[in-house]
Amino acid sequence: MEMMFGERWCKVEIYNESLKNIPSLLSQINTVEKMQRKAETELQMLQKEPDSFSRQQYQARLESTRAQCVQRLGEMKEELNLILGLKEQLEQELHLRAGEIGQ
């Protein structure tokens, strides 16, 4: 019984620490989404420019930025989903425990 309480308390502490990261994570997601949109807009605008070595270099840099944004967004959204999954799991455990105590 005491082991289960300690384990549950540890999960609550981990969850509380994760909650503190959510505002920063959402802010980072917003920033990366803006960077991705900017890169995509610039790539569209760049298509109207004459082909040159400088244009090709700039296009490669923008494409790299866009790809990095897509990858980072995926990672951050996965992290957010993990936090929400932990929250759901903890709420279910606490709900089940409350039901057992009430019986």
Side-chain angles (χ1 to χ4, degrees), residues 35-36 38-40 42-43 46 53-69:
M35 288 174 58
Q36 181 182 4
K38 183 177 183 255
E40 289 169 352
E42 287 186 52
L43 279 167
L46 195 59
F53 182 70
S54 294
R55 177 183 171 260
Q56 290 172 4
Q57 285 184 315
Y58 189 54
Q59 182 174 342
R61 201 166 48 245
L62 289 172
E63 289 170 350
S64 174
T65 298
R66 182 177 57 183
Q68 290 172 11
C69 288

Side-chain angles (χ1 to χ4, degrees), residues 3 8-9 32-33 42 45 48 50 55 57 62 67 71 79 81 92 99:
M3 179 69 146
R8 210 171 25 251
W9 184 253
V32 174
E33 285 176 339
E42 287 186 52
M45 292 170 57
K48 298 174 186 173
R55 177 183 171 260
Q57 285 184 315
L62 289 172
Q71 179 180 355
E79 183 178 346
N81 286 332
Q92 287 176 351

